[in-house]
Amino acid sequence: MESAKFKLYLGADYVSAFAMSAFVALKEKQRLFELVTLDLKARENYQANYRDLSLTCKIPTLVHEAFALSESSAIAEYLDELSPGPQKLYPQDPRQRARARQLQAWLRSDLLVVRKERPFDLVYFGKKDTPLSDDARAAVERLFFVADRLLGEGAEHLFGDWSIADTDLAIMLNRLVANGDQVPSRLAAYVHRQWDRDSVRAWMDIARKAPAIA
């Protein structure tokens, strides 16, 4: 089991925030894995062979032996339960672990307007010139409130030691930091710390082509 190789299916453009989260989880767990890319613009993720693998036609999907699993948070939980060491992806305290999962679920289910107006590809390819709408600003304020409450004063990470929830929160915040939007200084510093992890650097070091301008 420990020596088994994994496959991570993701978009060929390497810009998905959810794919990044799964990639970071694999790197943090020091797992050997192969990246398998799909052309999402050509809708390869809706072809029968991938549909049958992923069930939901979504990326990323992790394949381990004969088991395939989609949804980046589910992937992280599976990896952590599969082998507790060397790096834990979730806090060991039950309440902190539940809070980390709550945060992950909220980041994935809310803040759609922020994801739309500050798409994650700007982290790789440059800023958006348009100001945030009123709805987006309200969502950003909710994001800042949650981040400020969960990140203790002077803390490097959310729950003492690093967890995958730190990567997920930093991904959302970096949509704003990378764009030059106004972000509280300690939250911006938190993003930069998370972006300096080896696992995140490995993701950012992947070569990408900027999308063609229409």
Side-chain angles (χ1 to χ4, degrees):
M1 181 74 74
E2 287 296 314
S3 62
K5 193 170 183 179
F6 295 75
K7 290 183 179 180
L8 184 65
Y9 287 77
L10 71 171
D13 54 6
Y14 296 102
V15 300
S16 165
F18 303 122
M20 174 182 171
S21 182
F23 178 97
V24 167
L26 283 159
K27 284 288 188 181
E28 293 286 348
K29 298 301 283 188
Q30 298 182 20
R31 290 295 195 167
L32 295 175
F33 62 100
E34 174 188 353
L35 293 177
V36 183
T37 59
L38 302 169
D39 186 342
L40 303 183
K41 291 183 178 179
R43 298 177 63 82
E44 288 184 351
N45 53 312
Y46 289 99
Q47 293 179 3
N49 57 343
Y50 185 72
R51 177 204 62 200
D52 294 345
L53 187 72
S54 71
L55 297 181
T56 61
C57 300
K58 294 176 67 177
I59 57 104
T61 290
L62 179 74
V63 177
H64 176 219
E65 298 173 342
F67 178 64
L69 182 67
S70 297
E71 300 296 337
S72 57
S73 58
I75 289 169
E77 291 185 34
Y78 174 71
L79 291 171
D80 224 24
E81 292 175 5
L82 194 64
S83 60
Q87 170 68 60
K88 293 177 173 55
L89 299 178
Y90 288 92
Q92 294 307 289
D93 177 79
R95 291 183 177 180
Q96 288 188 336
R97 187 162 61 249
R99 186 70 75 198
R101 289 169 171 165
Q102 177 193 1
L103 177 61
Q104 286 185 299
W106 179 68
L107 290 170
R108 286 159 171 76
S109 62
D110 200 352
L111 309 174
L112 177 61
V113 65
V114 179
R115 296 199 298 271
K116 182 178 180 181
E117 295 187 22
R118 294 296 182 263
F120 197 56
D121 59 2
L122 67 81
V123 173
Y124 314 108
F125 304 127
K127 301 179 179 181
K128 302 293 181 185
D129 293 330
T130 54
L132 291 168
S133 66
D134 290 344
D135 286 346
R137 285 197 296 272
V140 164
E141 288 304 314
R142 294 199 305 274
L143 173 63
F144 290 166
F145 172 81
V146 171
D148 187 67
R149 282 295 184 93
L150 292 181
L151 185 65
E153 192 66 39
E156 291 192 2
H157 308 299
L158 292 169
F159 306 109
D161 295 328
W162 176 89
S163 75
I164 192 64
D166 285 295
T167 296
D168 288 345
L169 179 58
I171 284 172
M172 183 60 75
L173 288 168
N174 206 19
R175 296 169 183 268
L176 303 162
V177 173
N179 195 62
D181 294 308
Q182 189 171 1
V183 175
S185 58
R186 84 183 193 100
L187 296 184
Y190 167 77
V191 169
H192 293 311
R193 283 197 303 274
Q194 300 305 322
W195 235 249
D196 202 37
R197 289 187 74 82
D198 289 344
S199 56
V200 174
R201 285 185 174 187
W203 173 259
M204 295 301 295
D205 284 344
I206 295 173
R208 297 171 179 84
K209 291 183 179 179
I213 299 175

